[in-house]
Structures are given as C-alpha cells and as structure tokens.
Amino acid sequence: MHEWALAEAVLKTSIKVAKERNIKKLSEVEVVLGQLQDVDKEILEFALENMKKGTVADSAKFEFIEEAAEFKCRNCGNVWRMNDNPIDDAIIKEAVHFLPETIHSFLRCPNCGSADFEVVKGRGVYIKSVKGE
Amino acid sequence: MIDPRREAVIERINRIPHVIPVLSSKGGVGKSLTSTGIAVLLSQMGRKVGLLDLDFWGASDHIILGVSVDEFPEEDRGILPVPKCGLKFMSVAFYTRNQPLPMRGSEYTDALLELMAVTRWDDVEYLVIDMPPGLGDPFLNLISFFRKGHYVVVTTPSPLSVMALKNTIHMLKEQKIDIVGVVENMSSQESLKEFLDEQGIRHLGNIPMINDIDAHMGDCEKFASSEFIKHLRRPVERIAELIG
C-alpha cells in the first residue's frame, strides 16, 4: 500500500518539525486528508502507529481531518465540489489516488469543459499542526 | 500547512548514489532517446539502473522501451518502479494511460513531489532522469532537488539548439551544478567541440542522424541493437568513467 510511504513522509516531517522547534515529545499531529487523493485513513493510521515507536512521536496522537475537494475553473471561474460530480470509474479513482494531478487527464469543468482548473481544497495529505513539549 | 512530501523526497534522493539528469532547454533534440539509451547501456554494463520519465507533458520513454501502461505499478510500502530491459522504470504514463495531462507549473511541482515521495528505488545505483524541455518549473525543481546530480545536456548542431545549449550551460554553471558533458545528437561530426572547449565543457560524443530509429522502438532488444545505441555507447562509457 502506498499509504505506508505517505505515513513515512508524515512521520519524518513531524519529527523534523519537532527538532526545529526543540520539542522533546510530540503529543499531537493534525493531518489533513484531501478527498481527491482518497487515502485509506485506517491504513495510514496503522502505519503511523507502527512506525512512530521509539521516536519522539512515540506517544503522539495523530488526528485526521477530512477535507472535501473543491475545484475552480481558470477559464470561466466556475467553482464546484467533487461531491457534485463524484468519480465513478475505478481506474480513474486509482490513478488519482496515486497521483492527484492526473485529475487533469480525466476531469473537465462542468460549465465550460476546460481542463485548466485549480484544485482549491482537498488535494492530498498535509500536516496542519504539530504539538508537543 | 506543512507539506510532508519534501522531507520524503530529499531522503529518497539521498539514498541514490548517482543521479543523471538528461536535459536541454530546446525540444526535439533527442532527450528521451538519449536518456533511455543511457539507462539501457549502464544496465548492460552491470549497473543497477532506474529510469524516471519526468517529461509529464510528453512522456514517451515507455514507448521507446515497449512498456505497457495498462496496469498500475505494484505497491509495497510505496510504489515499485516497473522492471523492464534490466532496469527499473517509472513514468506518469502509468497513471494518465496515455491521456494528455494539461497542468500549470505549480501542478507539475506537486506531481513531481508526489511521484518522488512514494516511488521506491531501493537498490538503484544510477537514476537517469528524462527532463521536459525548457528552463521553467521542471528545470528549477530539478536543480533544487538534484543539486548533486551529474547533468548531461543534449543538443543538435543547429544554431537554434546551440543557443538553447548556451543558455542551459549558463544556468547550470551559475548554480554550480556538475555538468558531465554534452551529447551532440543528429550530427555526423563533433562540430561543437571547439565551442564546448571554450565553455570548459566536455564533448561526450556525437550521434549521427539515424533514419530507421522508429523501427527500433517498442522493444528492448531492438532498441539495444540500434545504430543509435551503438553510437551512444562511447559517451555512456565516458559518463560511467567520470562519475564512477
């Protein structure tokens, strides 16, 4: 599962931020999960719980915040949400799961048909906050 | 917001002993053939090689090697590059399924970070990178992430390409990037030797115009036996000698 690679990235970055901020023990890490990438939260959480052992994040709680995907067309200005036009095709879902930017290969603005749109919210995995002492 | 991928990318890059970006600010000079050829030849020399097609807007290395993009690469705690022709191969084409990928520069950067963050090159010793043309976001990302790379510049002897070559060398030198040398493609002689000597840049060799190259694409053995590969062998031997 490539969620393990994403978990590794989240953990290593959290540890790096802790070091930069002189945090000896991480207590909480807020992780945003964008709807577009459709990451499996359970696998990500399982991977983080496994990998954090023996690190500064050993007792940290990973909080997950799900963010709905929203798009804005650069051609006509139309704003729409992924929930308005869910992706049904399993292959496209899988491609976007691995590489969210491939959405530009498969999705068009529902108003003008342009492929030039911005993913305003809910693209992928980000760290919102890192707390500790 | 903190992007967790940058840290992962830096760590994955640092694990690869030799990175060889192949570039030119001019399109159509043969970057894809040259980078794919360098990867195939290094692999024939017994090295553990990866080939990464970063030309997201015009991915074509899979066509040269005859790699099917009908299946996604395998997953195992990341994404595993696809084994082909004795090397490990990764391309955006596996995910676009040969559909066009219209993206702005910032989106290119996001796609690059994502692909680099999750691709497991593992035991690869030499990672050859096929770059898109130009000095925009892809180039700027490249010199930012791969500062320790051994860069190979491809050109043709045409004055149109030479101008682009001059600009590419200028930018790489300014950023104190190691230029291994220049491959002069579609040229029956080393016509840029003097120009490159003046620039203090190695001329790795020339490759003449190969008229039947299209007939050697889509199959590892055919490509490996092409005149193009025959002429690229000496430049690649020199690259291997120079970077170890």
Side-chain angles (χ1 to χ4, degrees):
Chain A
M1 287 294 163
H2 101 293
E3 273 82 354
W4 280 81
L6 296 172
E8 196 182 344
V10 168
L11 183 66
K12 286 190 170 152
T13 304
S14 305
I15 292 169
K16 184 175 176 257
V17 172
K19 203 175 168 188
E20 284 166 1
R21 297 183 189 168
N22 210 18
I23 293 172
K24 302 278 181 280
K25 200 175 168 188
L26 281 171
S27 56
E28 187 189 275
V29 179
E30 286 184 306
V31 182
V32 176
L33 304 179
Q35 181 188 16
L36 183 62
Q37 191 162 28
D38 194 23
V39 163
D40 189 319
K41 191 174 81 177
E42 276 67 40
I43 297 172
L44 189 72
E45 192 169 17
F46 179 75
L48 281 165
E49 292 302 318
N50 265 273
M51 287 192 275
K52 73 177 188 181
K53 288 169 192 161
T55 74
V56 68
D58 204 330
S59 54
K61 181 160 178 49
F62 287 89
E63 291 283 353
F64 299 100
I65 302 158
E66 292 178 21
E67 188 177 71
E70 194 176 291
F71 311 99
K72 183 176 182 184
C73 180
R74 293 188 180 105
N75 184 48
C76 71
N78 180 39
V79 175
W80 76 100
R81 291 160 66 98
M82 195 167 169
N83 289 338
D84 300 335
N85 301 78
I87 300 169
D88 296 326
D89 188 307
I91 288 181
I92 296 175
K93 277 178 91 166
E94 191 79 345
V96 174
H97 168 62
F98 286 119
L99 204 51
E101 280 59 48
T102 56
I103 192 71
H104 293 278
S105 289
F106 307 111
L107 189 69
R108 297 293 177 259
C109 169
N111 185 50
C112 71
S114 173
D116 187 11
F117 57 84
E118 184 187 351
V119 182
V120 185
K121 282 200 294 190
R123 180 204 167 275
V125 178
Y126 296 95
I127 297 170
K128 189 181 177 195
S129 71
V130 173
K131 291 173 192 161
E133 56 190 30
Chain B
M1 287 286 181
I2 305 163
D3 190 338
R5 298 168 302 170
R6 287 190 177 267
E7 198 53 29
V9 170
I10 291 164
E11 220 183 277
R12 286 197 194 274
I13 290 169
N14 287 342
R15 282 184 214 151
I16 305 167
H18 305 289
V19 177
I20 308 172
V22 179
L23 74 164
S24 156
S25 61
K26 188 81 182 157
V29 296
K31 280 184 299 300
S32 294
L33 278 171
T34 305
S35 40
T36 306
I38 291 172
V40 166
L41 282 160
L42 283 172
S43 170
Q44 283 181 355
M45 291 174 194
R47 318 284 171 111
K48 288 174 180 160
V49 184
L51 174 63
L52 173 62
D53 191 345
L54 287 188
D55 191 352
F56 294 163
W57 291 295
S60 58
D61 296 354
H62 62 292
I63 297 168
I64 299 170
L65 293 175
V67 178
S68 163
V69 294
D70 292 341
E71 300 286 335
F72 292 119
E74 273 183 46
E75 280 181 84
D76 181 13
R77 297 196 170 208
I79 297 173
L80 301 176
V82 172
K84 185 79 179 181
C85 310
L87 48 91
K88 291 181 177 180
F89 176 63
M90 180 51 76
S91 167
V92 75
F94 291 117
Y95 304 103
T96 62
R97 301 289 166 102
N98 285 329
Q99 296 293 308
L101 183 57
M103 289 187 297
R104 300 275 178 153
S106 58
E107 288 151 355
Y108 178 96
T109 303
D110 255 327
L112 168 72
L113 281 170
E114 197 73 36
L115 202 63
M116 286 299 300
V118 299
T119 304
R120 282 183 46 187
W121 293 105
D122 292 346
D123 61 347
V124 160
E125 300 164 327
Y126 296 80
L127 179 64
V128 182
I129 301 178
D130 181 13
M131 287 297 296
L135 299 174
D137 289 60
F139 172 79
L140 296 171
N141 279 318
L142 186 80
I143 59 171
S144 162
F145 281 115
F146 301 97
R147 293 211 65 78
K148 291 179 185 163
H150 310 288
Y151 286 60
V152 173
V153 187
V154 184
T155 188
T156 73
S158 158
L160 302 176
S161 300
V162 175
M163 188 65 221
L165 171 68
K166 216 183 238 180
N167 289 338
T168 308
I169 290 172
H170 176 91
M171 286 303 300
L172 293 173
K173 275 185 170 176
E174 196 176 83
Q175 294 299 312
K176 298 183 172 53
I177 299 281
D178 174 39
I179 307 171
V180 186
V182 170
V183 173
E184 186 178 341
N185 193 19
M186 304 180 209
S187 181
S188 54
Q189 55 184 329
E190 293 191 354
S191 54
L192 298 174
K193 179 89 172 68
E194 203 180 313
F195 164 76
L196 289 171
D197 282 348
E198 282 167 18
Q199 300 273 326
I201 302 291
R202 238 172 252 112
H203 193 300
L204 294 168
N206 64 293
I207 302 170
M209 180 73 86
I210 311 290
N211 292 322
D212 69 341
I213 187 65
D214 289 353
H216 288 85
M217 290 189 205
D219 178 274
C220 296
E221 281 179 26
K222 273 191 195 170
F223 182 58
S225 65
S226 68
E227 281 294 307
F228 185 86
I229 288 292
K230 203 183 283 177
H231 285 89
L232 188 61
R233 186 174 298 277
R234 183 59 196 135
V236 174
E237 283 169 355
R238 292 190 70 195
I239 293 169
E241 283 161 22
L242 288 161
I243 67 176

